[in-house]
Amino acid sequence: NETDIYRFTASSQQPIYFDVVSTSETNVANYRLVDGFGRVLTQRTSLQDLDIYETPEAGDYWLLVEARVSNTSSHTYQMNLIAASVAESELVIGETVNGLIAGPGDIVQYTFSLADGETLYFDSLTDTKIHWSLDGPGGTVVSNRRFDQSDSTGNSSPLLPVPSGDYTLTVDGSDNTIGNFSFRLLDINEQFTPLTHGTPFSAELTDPRETDVYQFDASIGDEPLVDFLTASDSRDILVRIFNPLGQKVFEQRDLDDADLSPFTATGTHTLLIEGRTVNTDAAAYSLNLHNVHVRAAGLLTLGTVISDAITTPAERVEYSFDLAEHSLLHFDSLTVSSDLNWTLAGPRGIERSN
């Protein structure tokens, strides 16, 4: 039940990493950091690592390792207080950043300024548990987010709308995590490729983990078709579309063709082709963006064979008919194709869909 007391000297704003190297059991004690005025500055309720803490001023500090009063046996532990290093650099929006966390508790900070409000996107190029944070004029934008949970399938809300001002992006290891890291911080309204409806194009995720950003204009009621013509790896890539309000309106975890629901906003929409952080092979693809065109084929006579054709990838053919009374219908398909769907809608709404 005893308390072990340790003293050390630190400089002002010295980043300290509390590294619990080993312990016979984590939940038998807590530890607290106390300054020369007896103030408790930070603490942990178990014998686990405590991430970076910056000492407020130069002087002596005390570390109290306090066993719980309910303990009935002795326990061993080994701790290491590490004076972490801080490296600083400027960040250029859109450029790839390569860095290294060399030791436990080390920090790398990147600074940049925005003249106008922008929408940022953190493109992780490393499958690692290293963390990053973003602080700006309004406070903390992102706090301790892991690289492998920052984009693609790891993050459901990757867009970061931020105001103008000065920013600091901080990278540090999680617990004892060290190693190399790589990322891009993108401004999606600057680092994008424009799409034109009906014009096919080809691209490649040359870095298997990167994200390709595209933008296109659309209006309320538009029903786009994302037509993937080819894909070397169709299963390990996430496709998402965000409307001008930053709301996600479509998501699909493969590079297969997709019909979208009618858009609810007019303006610039953003299409993201996102490689997962676990990917190891480059992925080439080609696609075309169409607006669904509805062709009214006129009245349908029940019992009569209908022969027609879909002439463009985004064409939809609509037939209409009236029923004077409640009826039991049967759809008799005379075409062998898994690529054609039919939908029946009436006064009760959708009766059968796709």
Side-chain angles (χ1 to χ4, degrees), residues 52-79:
I52 298 301
Y53 178 82
E54 289 189 356
T55 54
E57 57 192 19
D60 291 335
Y61 292 85
W62 284 261
L63 177 66
L64 310 180
V65 181
E66 303 169 286
R68 303 190 189 282
V69 295
S70 58
N71 290 354
T72 57
S73 60
S74 61
H75 296 275
T76 60
Y77 63 90
Q78 182 181 1
M79 295 183 68

Side-chain angles (χ1 to χ4, degrees), residues 201-256:
F201 73 95
S202 300
E204 184 178 43
L205 297 178
T206 52
D207 185 317
R209 304 177 178 95
E210 73 180 4
T211 294
D212 288 348
V213 182
Y214 303 94
Q215 289 192 343
F216 61 93
D217 292 327
S219 301
I220 292 176
D222 284 355
E223 297 182 56
L225 166 68
V226 181
D227 180 18
F228 283 98
L229 307 174
T230 61
S232 61
D233 181 359
S234 64
R235 300 303 173 191
D236 294 316
I237 296 172
L238 184 67
V239 181
R240 289 190 280 192
I241 295 179
F242 295 83
N243 68 16
L245 304 177
Q247 299 165 333
K248 182 173 62 179
V249 296
F250 175 75
E251 178 175 312
Q252 181 170 281
R253 298 194 177 197
D254 54 52
L255 295 185
D256 288 337

Side-chain angles (χ1 to χ4, degrees), residues 139-195:
T140 299
V141 180
V142 174
S143 177
N144 289 324
R145 182 173 292 170
R146 282 168 40 170
F147 270 60
D148 60 354
Q149 296 177 351
S150 294
D151 59 1
S152 187
T153 56
N155 185 1
S156 61
S157 302
L159 301 187
L160 303 172
V162 294
S164 60
D166 297 329
Y167 288 84
T168 300
L169 191 152
T170 302
V171 179
D172 72 285
S174 170
D175 296 329
N176 286 321
T177 302
I178 59 174
N180 296 300
F181 61 86
S182 181
F183 70 92
R184 296 185 302 164
L185 189 65
L186 305 177
D187 176 356
I188 66 167
N189 294 317
E190 293 292 338
Q191 283 84 41
F192 71 92
T193 299
L195 290 183

